[in-house]
Amino acid sequence: MPIAKMDYIWFNGELVEWDKATIHVMSHVVHYGSSFFEGLRCYETPQGPAIFRLTPHMQRLIDSAHIYRTKIPYSLEELISAVKATVSANRLRAGYIRPVVYRGYSEIGVNPLGNPVEVAIATIEWGKYLGAEAMEQGVDVCVSSWNRFAPNTMPSMSKAGGNYMNSQLIKMEALANGYSEGIALDTNGHVSEGSGENLFVVRHGIVYTPPAGSSILTGITRESVITLLRDLGIEVREQVIPREMLYIADELFFTGTAAEITPIRSVDRITVGAGRRGPITEQVQSTFFRIVGGEQADTHGWLEYAE
């Protein structure tokens, strides 16, 4: 979807006008994908704009960069304050927040270390990633022909920009074949994740999700949903999942900052359960939205207020 222009972007330590937050075309990131980013949502609540799990997202940004020997020139506390300042400056009540760290302009070789590390934080208004109706009706997905990274090739625990070239292939293939999203397998043929979402499988009242070793990004929404499911007394198992389990699941759903909690109604044109949101998906989904909307007690301290 097109990005609606907002007033300000936090750019290398200060708020600047949207159109002035630019980089040089010879920046290292343009040529080699040397960037790290986060996606956060801001929710409107009776107490004001609330950012969902701001601190863990900023820590993951630091960790993602650290894996690639990249030192962000701001502390965790400074990044948290910068996000809040950007939300406030843009008077964002509800929407999406995109912090990005990247290697800027200096040297042209593959070695990134001689290039400056720059940081930007933007906010946009953004609705449901896979469509508002998908929250109840679910989406149609396929198993992608593109696999996730093999171990010791690309670090899947780093939310690095270059990793998402793989995600683009998964997403474009799915759309070209009439699906909303693709599910990737790992190099052993086990279920990994969507192009930008973690995956949960429900069968016989037990919820399964692939482990970190299946080349997934260990999502913060994923972790939150595991916590909510256990709060609700539902058993969750993190384990290797064979492809065929997708076809006999009672329910399937995606999680992620953009996708939030989105049910899946079919895989490879095989109907999942009743072909719409199932009862466990609905239960955890409604609990999640009550918490982020300020309608239910935030007992885990997940909401950080911008004002």
Side-chain angles (χ1 to χ4, degrees):
M1 62 179 287
I3 297 175
K5 176 180 175 181
M6 301 202 82
D7 293 333
Y8 298 103
I9 287 179
W10 192 92
F11 191 61
N12 292 330
E14 60 182 344
L15 288 164
V16 303
E17 294 178 16
W18 181 277
D19 292 333
K20 293 181 179 178
T22 60
I23 65 172
H24 197 281
V25 295
M26 294 304 290
S27 294
H28 196 270
V29 63
V30 176
H31 303 265
Y32 300 106
S34 47
S35 69
F36 317 94
F37 70 96
E38 277 299 323
L40 304 89
R41 276 199 187 262
C42 179
Y43 291 93
E44 186 166 9
T45 76
Q47 295 77 37
I51 303 166
F52 182 67
R53 307 208 65 185
L54 171 57
T55 298
H57 276 100
M58 292 302 96
Q59 183 60 59
R60 188 173 66 179
L61 181 65
I62 292 169
D63 293 344
S64 293
H66 185 71
I67 290 169
Y68 278 89
R69 304 174 187 263
T70 302
K71 173 67 175 176
I72 299 175
Y74 302 98
S75 68
L76 174 62
E77 292 73 22
E78 288 172 325
L79 291 170
I80 291 168
S81 295
V83 169
K84 292 180 178 180
T86 310
V87 168
S88 296
N90 287 313
R91 300 177 298 281
L92 187 73
R93 307 304 300 175
Y96 188 79
I97 304 164
R98 170 53 57 86
V100 59
V101 174
Y102 60 92
R103 291 282 185 176
Y105 167 59
S106 179
E107 299 177 3
I108 193 59
V110 170
N111 176 13
L113 299 177
N115 294 279
V117 177
E118 303 190 354
V119 184
I121 300 168
T123 63
I124 61 172
E125 294 180 351
W126 200 13
K128 303 302 182 187
Y129 179 59
L130 294 172
E133 69 286 349
M135 290 296 166
E136 180 177 349
Q137 298 301 319
V139 292
D140 300 309
V141 308
C142 62
V143 174
S144 180
S145 68
W146 295 98
N147 286 7
R148 279 302 194 197
F149 324 112
N152 212 33
T153 56
M154 300 282 284
S156 61
M157 289 185 68
S158 176
K159 196 172 174 70
N163 290 12
Y164 283 78
M165 294 299 287
N166 175 257
S167 297
Q168 289 177 48
L169 291 170
I170 294 165
K171 184 72 172 183
M172 290 187 293
E173 178 186 57
L175 294 174
N177 290 315
Y179 300 97
S180 296
E181 185 57 279
I183 294 173
L185 307 179
D186 65 20
T187 52
N188 293 314
H190 300 132
V191 174
S192 181
E193 60 183 358
S195 70
E197 311 90 1
N198 292 121
L199 181 70
F200 287 79
V201 179
V202 182
R203 181 163 168 81
H204 297 161
I206 298 171
V207 180
Y208 302 85
T209 193
S214 290
S215 296
I216 67 166
L217 177 71
T218 47
I220 292 167
T221 305
R222 170 185 178 272
E223 176 196 329
S224 305
V225 165
I226 291 171
T227 298
L228 290 179
L229 287 164
R230 288 174 175 160
D231 286 349
L232 292 166
I234 298 168
E235 183 180 353
V236 183
R237 299 179 185 176
E238 295 183 61
Q239 67 175 56
V240 169
I241 296 174
R243 172 179 179 164
E244 59 269 28
M245 196 168 176
L246 300 175
Y247 304 131
I248 59 173
D250 300 318
E251 304 176 43
L252 295 173
F253 61 89
F254 284 131
T255 66
T257 295
E260 295 169 304
I261 300 171
T262 300
I264 297 168
R265 66 187 176 196
S266 73
V267 181
D268 293 337
R269 310 201 190 284
I270 298 174
T271 301
V272 175
R276 64 191 306 278
R277 180 178 60 193
I280 289 178
T281 307
E282 183 174 6
Q283 192 175 6
V284 71
Q285 188 190 68
S286 62
T287 303
F288 175 84
F289 283 118
R290 285 197 303 271
I291 293 170
V292 299
E295 300 169 13
Q296 180 172 321
D298 176 23
T299 57
H300 297 288
W302 288 342
L303 303 182
E304 298 184 48
Y305 293 90
E307 297 176 348

